[in-house]
Amino acid sequence: MSRIHFEGNDGFDEFLAQGGADSDSDVAEYLTSNLIDSGISILFGENPFGCSTLSVAGSDGGYLFGRNFDWNNCNALIVSASPENAYASVSTVNLDFVQAGGIDISKMPDGVQALVGMYAPLDGMNEKGLAVSVNMIQDSAAINQDTGKTGITTTTAVRLLLDRAADVDEAVKLLGDYDMHGSMGMMIHFAIADASGKSVVVEYINNEMHVTDTPVVTNFYLTEGEKYGIGTSQSHERYEILTDLISQNKQMSKEDVRDALDRVSKDNFDDYASTEWSIVMDQENKELTYYHREDYTKGYSIQIEQ
């Protein structure tokens, strides 16, 4: 796990203005053609993942958002960002998802890593306390909206929300303004929570966006109807554990949220994957505390630089 800082113009406004992207390859092509001066070809690859999130009132005031990213061992990059004309944020990238000319992106210069990382976040929080997480759903369906709106992919949607949304309502409105195309050809949903304590999951069923209030999101559909409950059996188990914890504890400390994430981390299950990172996001104080590969004895705290 490493950390990098981005400051300046990341070209994201121009990316949206030129039509956004309908696929990961479109995002990579935009980065290669318009932003990377070295002539290196950027490639986005396929990496499925599982996750757990919870939103809860903090015992010291404000709200907390917890997030586990479950996958096999990977290189994680924390991107602390102060982009022009956008909210400051901290987000996390799985560098195994990105290559530069067939080379691990972590071997590239810092400037390249920081810029590409701006287009590939899987979770994060901005200076307004808006927290976002991408969670996978195991389903053969795909998300490819085609209504004539500007296209965005899973990861560029996370960047859009971190840059421009101050709360859940603004985040939902923004997502509705674009055509979504699932990154990596996967079915995903977004867990979104704000500093007021409002928390939702945004899902796409038959290419229509649905929003459901929920403090817990794992890896199955939560929208009532034909798809409800589809996902892995383990994700149901993790959901029940977190839901029970929240029902028993209306407020939690940051340590309580850390321990909840530990309860549903991958070492508790007979699973090939590990929990590569866990984050406790303090939405009141705009601070994220990271735990790496299920070592919950050592946290790394990062303040959002406004």
Side-chain angles (χ1 to χ4, degrees):
M1 177 175 281
S2 56
R3 180 189 177 192
I4 205 162
H5 182 75
F6 179 89
E7 187 169 348
N9 181 14
D10 61 2
F12 194 72
D13 288 344
E14 293 82 359
F15 165 74
L16 295 174
Q18 58 87 47
D22 293 346
S23 67
D24 296 326
S25 59
D26 286 349
V27 179
E29 182 179 351
Y30 175 79
L31 285 166
T32 300
S33 300
N34 295 278
L35 299 177
I36 307 298
D37 296 329
S38 61
I40 299 169
S41 295
I42 301 300
L43 301 171
F44 284 3
E46 294 190 6
N47 273 310
F49 51 88
C51 312
S52 303
T53 69
L54 72 155
S55 174
V56 65
S59 56
D60 295 326
Y63 286 84
L64 303 172
F65 185 83
R67 145 67 150 186
N68 277 352
F69 177 83
D70 302 329
W71 180 228
N72 54 18
N73 286 358
C74 65
N75 292 316
L77 179 67
I78 301 168
V79 181
S80 178
S82 302
E84 293 178 359
N85 305 314
Y87 296 132
S89 65
V90 171
S91 59
T92 330
V93 177
N94 176 2
L95 287 180
D96 288 4
F97 176 47
V98 188
Q99 288 189 338
I103 301 172
D104 185 337
I105 192 70
S106 65
K107 307 299 183 185
M108 293 292 101
D110 286 354
V112 174
Q113 290 188 53
L115 181 57
V116 174
M118 292 290 286
Y119 286 75
L122 296 173
D123 54 44
M125 182 172 70
N126 68 19
E127 66 179 82
K128 297 298 183 180
L130 183 87
V132 185
S133 167
V134 179
N135 295 20
M136 181 188 72
I137 302 176
Q138 193 173 84
D139 185 14
S140 60
I143 309 169
N144 279 302
Q145 293 184 309
D146 184 16
T147 67
K149 299 173 184 175
T150 297
I152 52 174
T153 61
T154 302
T155 60
T156 54
V158 175
R159 174 51 52 202
L160 175 73
L161 300 187
L162 293 176
D163 280 2
R164 299 186 177 184
D167 56 34
V168 165
D169 290 341
E170 289 186 9
V172 170
K173 172 63 168 57
L174 273 171
L175 289 176
D177 288 341
Y178 294 84
D179 277 346
M180 179 65 64
H181 302 274
S183 290
M184 300 168 274
M186 294 180 353
M187 177 54 67
I188 55 87
H189 51 185
F190 297 99
I192 308 172
D194 63 30
S196 75
K198 186 169 184 176
S199 58
V200 302
V201 64
V202 176
E203 299 178 329
Y204 296 84
I205 300 172
N206 299 323
N207 284 324
E208 292 187 3
M209 191 175 85
H210 297 264
V211 181
T212 302
D213 292 339
T214 178
V216 176
V217 181
T218 55
N219 304 108
F220 65 90
Y221 289 100
L222 290 167
T223 300
E224 293 291 341
E226 61 177 309
K227 291 280 191 175
Y228 179 81
I230 293 176
T232 63
S233 58
Q234 186 197 103
S235 68
H236 283 265
E237 186 176 352
R238 286 184 273 114
Y239 179 88
E240 293 299 329
I241 291 171
L242 293 177
T243 300
D244 287 346
L245 283 172
I246 289 177
S247 67
Q248 296 167 19
N249 303 276
K250 301 302 181 184
Q251 296 181 335
M252 290 185 179
S253 66
K254 288 187 283 189
E255 291 75 21
D256 292 334
V257 174
R258 175 202 62 196
D259 293 344
L261 295 174
D262 187 8
R263 282 278 304 276
V264 294
S265 65
K266 284 295 187 175
D267 63 355
N268 296 286
F269 305 93
D270 184 14
D271 200 301
Y272 72 91
S274 69
T275 297
E276 282 298 282
W277 65 79
S278 301
I279 318 171
V280 178
M281 304 185 194
D282 184 338
Q283 295 167 276
E284 176 78 12
N285 296 306
K286 315 306 185 292
E287 182 183 71
L288 301 87
T289 302
Y290 282 82
Y291 299 89
H292 190 217
R293 291 184 180 162
E294 303 179 60
D295 181 359
Y296 295 98
T297 65
K298 184 182 296 184
Y300 304 88
S301 295
I302 299 174
Q303 195 77 34
I304 295 176
E305 300 178 20
Q306 300 182 39

